[in-house]
Structures are given as structure tokens and as C-alpha cells.
Amino acid sequence: LPVLQWDAEVSTEAGEYEQLREQHRQTEAREMVEEETQNQHAAPPVSLAEEGLPVQQSESAVGEQAMVDLSAYLAQNPDFIAWLRIPGTNVDYPVVQTDDPDDYLTHTFSGKQSVVGTLFSLADADYAAPGRNIAIYGHHLRSSGEKMFTSLMRYKNPEFYEDNQTIVLDSLYRHSEYTIFAVLNMKVGDWEPSRTTFSGDAAFMAFVNRAKSEFLYDTGVEVGADDHILTLITCDRSYAGKEGRLVILAVER
């Protein structure tokens, strides 16, 4: 497709996510108002409590835990698992968990066929515990507006990293904030950045140190054996063509 036509199609197909973002902003705003007027120890929403579904918790203004209802996204897509946001970038999207990643490489959150795809984690990612490493995949699209994980390319510049180190993940189970500790390039098959299980602390730290040994620049952020990390993975053809990947790893605060 001609560049302008491709760009227009990507923008149109990504419009679905703009609507979801607005829905997410309205939900957050409504719940913020409710937090100010309701008992801080209120029961979870009836719909979630009745169905036995997990609920997300976030820090309220007074430092106590308040329930946040993410059931609307679960109702739209039963594979929904989290909302990912990186302040300072255009990354602000729902994440699904799937054992069929090929489907989400070519379909949006609502199931529409599209090159935009959906951010996804593989089936073995443990959001509930949480596991030691949660990995999320997304497309790098050569288009204006930096759709999906295209904004991650900015992290190859250490100056951009300095002002944009935080990643926010609101899952069905908890509110988590992470600090990026490594940005690196790799080729498919070099190693497995989405690895979720480790035989012990030594294996986990070997994984972390492998990532650090290949970073594009030193962030100075430390990671310990008891920490939990988040890994974001996207294509980077500028590094090694179709086999090139950009990987960003962050540690939970």
C-alpha cells in the first residue's frame, strides 16, 4: 500500500482504542468522585462479587485501598487481563492473555481483523500471584501517531528514558507501578525475554543480569532476587530486519 493510504488505514483501525481510552478515562474519573463520597472500606461492585471475579485495587488519595471495577473490559472481551499505560508515550491500551497469539497479532480488542492487533501476554504469564516476570507483546507500526508499541522506540534514546521511566499496569488483580531498568535489542532465538518460570533466585538473577549485560545504556536501577519484573517486547527492523526485537524491562516499585 502507498504510505499515505497505509497510514490512514492504521489510524482508522486504531480508532477503536481511542474509544476504549475514553471509556477508561471516564471510569477512572467516576471512581475518583465515588472514592471521595463513599466509605473507603466499601464492598467490591456487586457484579464482580457475585461472579467471583477478581477486582483491581489502586491507591486512593488517602493511601488506603479502594476497589476499581474493570469488569466492563472483561465483558467486551473475556481474554482481557490488564490495562497498560506509560506516561509520556502513546501507550495506553488494554492487554489480553491468550494461548493463540497469532489471532491477536491480526485482530483488535473487539475481534476486528486489523494490522494494528492487540497487546497480549501468553497464557503462562501469572498476573494473579504475580509471577516473577510478566511479558507483554505489541506491534511496532510504521505510521504516524505511534500506535500500539511504536512509542517504545523512543527508549533507545537515554535522554527520553530519563523523563519517562514509569510504567503503570492495572490488572484484574492489582495496581502496579514499574521503573524501567533495561532497554535492549536482540534477535529472535538469542534468548527468551518472555520467560515466566525460574528454578530459583539464581536463575532469576541470571535472567536479569543477561538483560542488563545487553542494555543500550546503564539506567542505574537495581533489581533484586525478590523483585517482580515486567517485560515489553516489540519488533525493531532497524536492528536486525524481521528478526530484530526491542525489549524493555521494568522492576515493580
Side-chain angles (χ1 to χ4, degrees):
L1 288 175
V3 174
L4 291 178
Q5 184 180 345
W6 162 269
D7 202 51
E9 288 191 13
V10 168
S11 295
T12 299
E13 292 169 1
E16 170 185 319
Y17 290 111
E18 292 299 330
Q19 295 175 356
L20 285 169
R21 284 181 181 179
E22 182 57 32
Q23 177 184 341
H24 193 61
R25 282 191 288 265
Q26 290 177 1
T27 300
E28 288 182 326
R30 183 176 65 252
E31 289 169 351
M32 194 172 295
V33 171
E34 290 174 353
E35 279 183 24
E36 295 174 355
T37 58
Q38 293 180 351
N39 187 317
Q40 291 296 326
H41 301 285
V46 175
S47 61
L48 289 180
E50 287 179 345
E51 297 175 25
L53 294 172
V55 293
Q56 172 217 350
Q57 297 190 346
S58 66
E59 292 291 334
S60 71
V62 295
E64 295 189 13
Q65 296 294 315
M67 297 298 181
V68 178
D69 187 356
L70 293 176
S71 59
Y73 310 109
L74 204 55
Q76 293 173 65
N77 185 330
D79 290 338
F80 172 80
I81 189 67
W83 192 281
L84 179 72
R85 181 169 61 89
I86 308 179
T89 77
N90 281 358
V91 176
D92 190 9
Y93 294 105
V95 181
V96 296
Q97 186 167 23
T98 180
D99 56 6
D100 185 13
D102 288 344
D103 185 55
Y104 282 110
L105 285 171
T106 57
H107 291 82
T108 64
F109 187 72
S110 68
K112 177 183 176 182
Q113 186 164 354
S114 169
V115 296
V116 172
T118 307
L119 302 187
F120 67 86
S121 285
L122 299 177
D124 62 353
D126 187 354
Y127 280 81
R132 280 181 148 170
N133 181 28
I134 292 174
I136 300 175
Y137 291 83
H139 279 311
H140 169 201
L141 298 164
R142 290 170 291 176
S143 64
S144 64
E146 298 190 352
K147 305 297 189 293
M148 310 315 289
F149 269 177
T150 306
S151 292
L152 298 188
M153 298 298 288
R154 291 182 178 270
Y155 283 99
K156 296 177 79 168
N157 180 348
E159 293 182 0
F160 181 81
Y161 164 81
E162 287 299 328
D163 295 325
N164 303 278
Q165 300 180 20
T166 301
I167 299 175
V168 180
L169 185 69
D170 290 313
S171 78
L172 290 174
Y173 302 93
R174 62 179 49 78
H175 170 86
S176 301
E177 295 190 10
Y178 297 80
T179 299
I180 296 171
F181 71 86
V183 178
L184 58 101
N185 277 125
M186 61 168 284
K187 289 190 293 186
V188 173
D190 283 350
W191 60 295
E192 189 45 72
S194 66
R195 179 178 174 184
T196 59
T197 56
F198 304 88
S199 59
D201 292 348
F204 175 67
M205 290 309 299
F207 176 88
V208 168
N209 291 330
R210 169 70 186 266
K212 282 190 166 187
S213 71
E214 300 185 17
F215 57 42
L216 298 179
Y217 48 85
D218 188 356
T219 64
V221 177
E222 296 298 325
V223 180
D226 295 330
D227 285 327
H228 296 86
I229 64 175
L230 176 69
T231 302
L232 309 182
I233 306 165
T234 193
C235 293
D236 186 358
R237 289 174 178 264
S238 68
Y239 176 69
K242 291 183 179 180
E243 301 299 307
R245 297 290 183 269
L246 179 70
V247 182
I248 293 179
L249 300 98
V251 59
E252 188 171 8
R253 290 175 174 173

